[in-house]
Amino acid sequence: MHTIARITVLTLALGLSACAVQRPEPTTNLPPIPPSQPSPTPSTSPTPGKSIPAKPAKPVPRTSASFAPPPGGNSHWDQKLGVYVLDDQTNTFYRQRTYYRWNNGWSRAVSPNGPWEDTNIHGVPPGLGKQFGQ
């Protein structure tokens, strides 16, 4: 019994001593990161007789950061609806491996060509339910 205890103590001492021999990495003093605040902009008051050009519209994202687009279909991401809108099929949408179609009521399928099964507003993403209602 004493032999096992000695071997255990020696093993622990040897293992812990390896940690004590390691030297820490030298720390480098990095410059402080400045706070992120909007930079002041010069006054843009209009000069009489001159008009200020309109800012270009923000481009609409074609894809979502959270959801993959439908396989093999032309579509675009609609941020308001929270789904992909299929460009070549009217009132057909896609999100998370499911296609949704509005035709005086909701139906869903795993393929854009069906087979379609009827569902209600609770079976579609929230943005679609708000847009089309039922």
Side-chain angles (χ1 to χ4, degrees), residues 38-126:
S39 60
T41 56
S43 174
T44 58
S45 58
T47 307
K50 291 187 177 182
S51 63
I52 297 175
K55 292 182 180 179
K58 189 176 181 181
V60 177
R62 294 283 304 164
T63 60
S64 163
S66 302
F67 301 105
N74 292 331
S75 64
H76 65 276
W77 176 252
D78 187 316
Q79 183 72 31
K80 181 181 169 190
L81 298 176
V83 294
Y84 284 93
V85 178
L86 272 64
D87 296 333
D88 54 352
Q89 292 183 347
T90 306
N91 291 338
T92 305
F93 312 93
Y94 176 85
R95 189 166 103 177
Q96 292 180 311
R97 293 177 274 167
T98 305
Y99 292 87
Y100 302 94
R101 181 176 67 179
W102 171 259
N103 187 9
N104 294 324
W106 285 111
S107 55
R108 62 184 173 193
V110 294
S111 166
N113 302 321
W116 295 93
E117 70 175 24
D118 290 338
T119 187
N120 60 20
I121 195 170
H122 301 291
V124 299

Side-chain angles (χ1 to χ4, degrees), residues 25-33:
E25 291 289 323
T27 57
T28 57
N29 292 331
L30 299 175
I33 299 173

Side-chain angles (χ1 to χ4, degrees), residues 8-38:
T8 303
V9 169
L10 287 174
T11 304
L12 286 173
L14 183 61
L16 292 175
S17 67
C19 294
V21 174
Q22 298 289 327
R23 291 186 179 157
E25 291 289 323
T27 57
T28 57
N29 292 331
L30 299 175
I33 299 173
S36 62
Q37 296 177 352

